[in-house]
Amino acid sequence: MAIPEELMIDIFSRLPVKSVGRCRCLSKLWREILSTPQFIKSHLNRKTNRQQNLLLVAALNTIHTISDVKNGTVSRKIQLIDEWEEAIGSCDGLVLLLNEKSEKILVNPITLQKEKIPDPPLALNKTESHSMHGFGYDGSIDDYKIVVVSYYDTDEYYPDNFDTFVDIYCVKKGVWKRVDNSPYDLSSARRCTGACVRGAVHWLAPSKKQGDYRAVIAAFDLAREVFDEIPVPNDVSMDSGCYQLVVLGGCLCMTDAGRSLHQDNNKTDIWIMHEYGLAESWTKFTIDCGYEWSMLKPLCYIGDEEIVLICEGGEVLLVYNLNENTLKNMVVDGASAYVLDGCVFVESLLSPCFGMS
C-alpha cells in the first residue's frame, strides 16, 4: 500500500538535513517529494530542526561549523574556498559571507550550495565610500533581503556629500532596488554589520532631529522598507564608547568596549533588550575581558548560564559564565579557538540559488 504524500512529508520533515539528503538518493519518487518547496518549508519549520549551530571564520580565512555548541567541542571544516573576512548574518539556514574583495556570497553551510550576489547597479565606488550590510527575511513577500547602506568618504573624497544610500536585494527575485536615503547618519555606526531582529535590520545612530545628539537605534523594516526608531539603554551616549549591535538568543543586544577605550581598563558592557521595542526591558552586565583595546561580540548561549563570545581584539573565542562571572578561552578541536568572525545558523535545505524552489 502506497504511503500518502502528506504522511511522507510529515515523517521525513523530522529528520536532520544530512539524513534527508541520503533518503533523496534512494528513490526517484522520494527525491521528487523531498525536493518540493512544501517539504523544504515543512522541514524548516520543525522545532526539532531549529538547533543552533555556529559558523566561524577561522584562522587562514577557513570556514568551520560547530553543531554541538559547548566548551571542548569539535568543529567541521567545510570546503568553501575563498579569502573570507566577515559573517554578516544568517536566516533560515542561509549565511551571508563577505570576502576580502567585499564580494557578498550567500551560503548554505550544510548543503554547501553557494551563490555570489551581484553588486547593486547604483553601488558607490568602493575606494571612495564605505558600506554596511544586513540580511533577513521579509514575510510579507516570502523573500530574503540583503540591505546595503553606503555613504561617501567625506574625509578624503566628498566633503559636502553626507547622503546615506540604501539598496535592497531580493534573493528569490534576483533584483536590486534603491529606496529612500536613510534619515539617520549611519556613518557613526563605524561600518558595523546590521543586527536583524523581528524583521528589521538595526544600526546605532544619532537622533535625526536637528541639534539632538541622543543615541537611537535606526531599525530598517524589511517589509515596509523604511526606518523606525528603537530606544537605546538610558546610559548610552554617542559621544563616548565604541558600540556594536548584535543578536543574542533572538534578542537585540548591544556591546560597548568604550570603558577599555576611554578609562584604561579591560571591561565591556553588554545590554540585552528582552522585550523588543520596550526601553525598560534593557538589562546590563559587565565582563572583564582581560584584553586591552578589545571588543567582545556575543554569539550565542550555552544553556542558560554561559555565553559564547568573540574577542575581536585578540581574535579569541571565549565562554562567559553569567552566574560565576568568569571568562575562559573556549576549547575547540582540543585547543583554544582563534577566529575572525562568526554567527549562529540553523540547519535547512534552503538553496541560496533558488530560495524555496
Side-chain angles (χ1 to χ4, degrees), residues 80 106-109 111-115 349-354:
L80 291 171
L106 195 59
V107 173
N108 184 320
T111 66
L112 300 186
Q113 292 176 295
K114 63 178 183 178
E115 179 76 0
L349 295 161
L350 282 177
S351 168
C353 311
F354 308 105

Side-chain angles (χ1 to χ4, degrees), residues 179-204:
V179 297
D180 292 340
N181 290 356
S182 168
Y184 298 92
D185 176 15
L186 296 179
S187 63
S188 57
R190 296 179 174 86
R191 284 173 271 174
C192 291
T193 295
C196 190
V197 178
R198 296 288 190 96
V201 182
H202 304 75
W203 287 278
L204 194 72

Side-chain angles (χ1 to χ4, degrees), residues 149-169:
V149 172
S150 54
Y151 53 93
Y152 286 109
D153 185 340
T154 55
D155 292 333
E156 290 191 39
Y157 296 100
Y158 297 90
D160 299 322
N161 192 330
F162 297 96
D163 291 335
T164 302
F165 305 97
V166 182
D167 294 287
I168 302 171
Y169 184 74

Side-chain angles (χ1 to χ4, degrees), residues 228-246:
D228 297 316
E229 198 168 292
I230 303 295
V232 298
N234 292 330
D235 49 350
V236 167
S237 172
M238 289 298 293
D239 59 5
S240 65
C242 181
Y243 299 100
Q244 183 178 19
L245 292 174
V246 297

Side-chain angles (χ1 to χ4, degrees), residues 291-309:
Y291 293 87
E292 190 175 359
W293 303 101
S294 63
M295 174 174 278
L296 296 182
K297 176 184 177 181
L299 290 179
C300 64
Y301 287 101
I302 300 178
D304 298 324
E305 298 182 358
E306 295 181 314
I307 298 176
V308 178
L309 313 100

